[in-house]
Amino acid sequence: MSAGRTSAQFTAALRNREQLIGYWSLLDSPIAAERLARVGYDYLAFDAQHGLFGYQGMLNNLLATDTKGSTAVGMVRVEANDLTYIGKALDAGATGVIVPLIDNARDAADAVSAVRYPPLGRRSYGPMRSQLRIGPNPADAHEQTAVLAMIETADGLANVEEICATPGLDGIYVGPSDLRLAIGGATSTDPSVQEEFEQALTRVRKAAEAAGIAAGIHNADGASAARRLSEGFTFATVAADVVHLQQIATSHLEAARGGAR
């Protein structure tokens, strides 16, 4: 993605199943977000479900993402499949929402409805910040705003084909930790269910392809993201700032201790 692409261009690329790469943020640090937005990622995803910030933090991080020099748009994983949470994220200026714990087509339809204004949906009109860059007309918001359903539960996997066929859904997004637990893993990284996990990913990816929507997945590192994109996922997120902060700090500490001996 080229620098400075708009929300409309990003959403069009997503819907066209072009390859996109993003970064996941848990920290309430607009300064970090501003720096990350300049690295070259296509989107920054701010985690309002498990992240360490509230509404003001979400708003501030979205503001930081839109500063001069940014290559990224701001996405938000909302707290729940709820009209209020989704509306607040969009009003704050999110280009799209990632909606967790989608179990069936009804859940997916509810998520779509929360993103679209009447008569297409139930979103309340009050684009306090988003009107400056997305919209303010409902038709513009519909064109420029994306809604993604997370596939991370046993029911979500069982119903993935009907979820992907939901009218108005722009894509699905795999939560690998929860999905691994859902298929019987003892931990979020349990290698004993790797074969079943890979089969689940194939099913999800093929369901999205058949429906003509985007297929995304969360990844621990860039190499894993590259692998999933090569397999046919259309967008991949590298996670996450709080984890990488600890990892790089640890590596420098180990290097310093080793060199001091």
Side-chain angles (χ1 to χ4, degrees), residues 126-189:
M128 292 301 95
R129 173 170 181 262
S130 62
Q131 65 179 310
L132 302 176
R133 54 191 305 278
I134 302 173
N137 296 325
D140 295 328
H142 296 163
E143 177 187 0
Q144 299 173 32
T145 304
V147 54
L148 307 171
M150 289 199 73
I151 305 299
E152 53 185 347
T153 67
D155 284 344
L157 179 61
N159 297 318
V160 66
E161 288 82 11
E162 66 178 56
I163 289 171
C164 288
T166 302
L169 188 69
D170 296 308
I172 49 88
Y173 185 75
V174 174
S177 295
D178 280 315
L179 184 59
R180 193 178 291 264
L181 293 174
I183 62 173
T187 69
S188 63
T189 57

Side-chain angles (χ1 to χ4, degrees), residues 248-261:
I248 196 66
T250 300
S251 69
H252 282 297
L253 176 60
E254 291 173 348
R257 284 175 171 167
R261 294 192 182 98

Side-chain angles (χ1 to χ4, degrees), residues 221-232:
D221 51 59
S224 298
R227 174 191 171 190
R228 297 308 182 187
L229 289 170
S230 71
E231 291 171 348

Side-chain angles (χ1 to χ4, degrees), residues 49-75:
Q49 183 188 25
H50 295 302
L52 307 173
F53 52 81
Y55 174 79
Q56 192 62 48
M58 177 183 70
L59 175 62
N60 289 342
N61 281 293
L62 288 170
L63 284 165
T65 303
D66 291 337
T67 53
K68 182 178 179 180
S70 172
T71 65
V73 300
M75 304 279 284

Side-chain angles (χ1 to χ4, degrees), residues 70-93:
S70 172
T71 65
V73 300
M75 304 279 284
V76 173
R77 175 163 72 172
V78 294
E79 293 97 315
N81 188 6
D82 180 272
L83 188 67
T84 298
Y85 291 142
I86 291 172
K88 287 174 76 70
L90 296 176
D91 289 349

